[in-house]
Amino acid sequence: MVVLRKNREHGRGMTAPSPKRKTGHVIKKDFRKNWFVYMLAVPVVAWFLIFCYGPMWGILIAFKDYKPLLGFADSPWVGLKHFVDFFEGPYFWRIVKNTLLLNVWGIVFGFTAPIILALMLNEARDGKFKKAVQTITYMPHFISLVVVCGMVHIFTADEGIITQILQFITGKDYSSLLGYSSMFRAIYTFSGIWQSIGWESIIYLAAMSSIDPALYEAAEIDGVGRIKKMWHITLPQISPVIVILFIFAIGGLMSSGYEKIILLYNPLTYDTADVIASYVYRRGLREASLSYSTAVGLFSSVVNFALLWATNRIARRNSEVSLW
């Protein structure tokens, strides 16, 4: 009894280690054990700090009338003036609408195309045919974007093969298809699908390779056909991957790569081709309106973050898959 009492009194006097102290001890112990792995991560962390987080203070330009000779600190502060000018400007609704529509086309057609291709390749039984299709669909990904846009210009020219096919189908005469604003979205979207469908299908094929074959065997015993197996087994098994990539796609709904846009569009197609990224390029670099273009880019980034957050929250509520 005396020993137990002393032990109890001794236990009352002891204090549990604080969570911070315990966490710090674990980190130090892990660092001593895996210091080489931490050293390998240093260049990656340094790259993000220098090139991603470091330049973020430059968004102050959006709230100033930035003059390169005066610098960041001495340039006059104008507050939300550039944002108001953008919202009240004549091009606001046009570029926002074009950006949204181009990305909606990309999600409806470009996001689903790799999934369909992966499902078809997963069902292919001839190994040589499957490898041939994969090789052919992967190849455009490794072609430079400038070369791809040059090919699009050639195919859609007055005597281009796509123009000739369209004339044969419709019976109408067309000049260069890139001169028609009504055709720009289709050309932009489907040329992007042609370039990326094979490469983007890799992640879905990798997810399908981890599906338990016993599920398919059980379905075959029950007399289930291929279409139903794809719908009830394959798609549900790869749904976490689809949801994650879909969240990323929605998070980029207000952004489009300006490189391809400026290589394909022209003043005749501004009504449907001019997007936020190309507008920022023209105002920021060509017209040297650095503060105004920064404000437009910041608006796009904030909207993208809001869409990403909302989509992730909806996915977390309706499924077990989310980014955070």
Side-chain angles (χ1 to χ4, degrees):
M1 294 296 293
V2 176
V3 174
L4 291 174
R5 189 177 300 159
K6 287 183 178 180
N7 288 339
R8 288 175 183 173
E9 292 176 356
H10 180 68
R12 289 174 186 173
M14 294 177 62
T15 57
S18 62
K20 292 183 178 179
R21 185 178 178 183
K22 185 177 180 180
T23 303
H25 177 72
V26 171
I27 293 174
K28 290 180 180 179
K29 183 179 179 181
D30 188 67
F31 180 80
R32 286 195 298 267
K33 183 179 180 181
N34 303 303
W35 65 271
F36 184 75
V37 178
Y38 284 92
M39 292 298 103
L40 291 176
V42 168
V44 178
V45 175
W47 187 88
F48 276 99
L49 291 176
I50 295 172
F51 296 103
C52 295
Y53 291 98
M56 287 183 68
W57 70 283
I59 63 174
L60 290 175
I61 300 175
F63 305 96
K64 291 190 172 190
D65 186 11
Y66 176 67
K67 306 294 183 184
L69 295 178
L70 296 177
F72 290 100
D74 297 330
S75 295
W77 187 273
V78 296
L80 300 176
K81 176 181 179 298
H82 300 301
F83 293 93
V84 174
D85 291 343
F86 173 59
F87 296 148
E88 296 180 351
Y91 302 114
F92 173 74
W93 290 111
R94 186 183 76 178
I95 63 176
V96 170
K97 181 188 73 173
N98 291 341
T99 304
L100 286 173
L101 286 177
L102 272 181
N103 284 286
V104 168
W105 276 57
I107 291 175
V108 172
F109 299 104
F111 183 79
T112 56
I115 300 175
I116 296 173
L117 176 62
L119 289 171
M120 295 172 65
L121 290 175
N122 189 57
E123 293 296 322
R125 295 292 179 262
D126 189 342
K128 292 183 179 180
F129 173 77
K130 183 176 180 179
K131 291 180 180 179
V133 172
Q134 286 179 302
T135 303
I136 294 171
T137 55
Y138 293 170
M139 287 175 64
H141 174 77
F142 300 99
I143 302 176
S144 170
L145 181 60
V146 176
V147 176
V148 169
C149 292
M151 295 170 67
V152 172
H153 277 280
I154 294 172
F155 294 155
T156 58
D158 297 348
E159 302 297 329
I161 184 172
I162 297 179
T163 307
Q164 296 298 316
I165 293 173
L166 188 62
Q167 289 178 353
F168 177 77
I169 294 174
T170 61
K172 299 179 180 179
D173 292 331
Y174 291 98
S175 57
S176 176
L177 298 183
L178 286 174
Y180 297 91
S181 59
S182 59
M183 296 185 181
F184 182 84
R185 293 191 185 110
I187 295 172
Y188 179 89
T189 301
F190 289 104
S191 63
I193 293 173
W194 168 74
Q195 186 181 13
S196 61
I197 184 173
W199 184 259
E200 292 180 359
S201 67
I202 293 176
I203 188 169
Y204 300 111
L205 288 170
M208 292 175 189
S209 65
S210 62
I211 299 176
D212 188 358
L215 297 175
Y216 294 107
E217 295 173 0
E220 289 179 359
I221 293 173
D222 293 336
V224 178
R226 287 191 177 186
I227 302 297
K228 289 187 176 181
K229 283 192 292 184
M230 285 192 293
W231 185 258
H232 294 289
I233 298 177
T234 308
L235 282 176
Q237 290 295 315
I238 66 171
S239 60
V241 177
I242 296 175
V243 171
I244 292 296
L245 294 180
F246 182 75
I247 293 173
F248 281 121
I250 295 296
L253 202 60
M254 285 292 290
S255 60
S256 299
Y258 73 93
E259 300 94 343
K260 187 176 181 180
I261 295 288
I262 64 176
L263 288 171
L264 292 180
Y265 81 160
N266 57 71
L268 296 175
T269 58
Y270 277 178
D271 289 342
T272 57
D274 195 20
V275 296
I276 291 177
S278 60
Y279 183 68
V280 168
Y281 165 78
R282 290 202 312 275
R283 290 296 302 266
L285 296 181
R286 289 188 177 182
E287 301 178 17
S289 301
L290 301 178
S291 295
Y292 183 86
S293 60
T294 303
V296 176
L298 181 59
F299 162 76
S300 175
S301 299
V302 170
V303 174
N304 278 334
F305 176 77
L307 290 171
L308 179 69
W309 178 83
T311 309
N312 183 78
R313 186 171 183 180
I314 293 171
R316 187 175 57 188
R317 283 185 175 182
N318 295 277
S319 66
E320 298 179 355
V321 182
S322 62
L323 293 177
W324 64 84

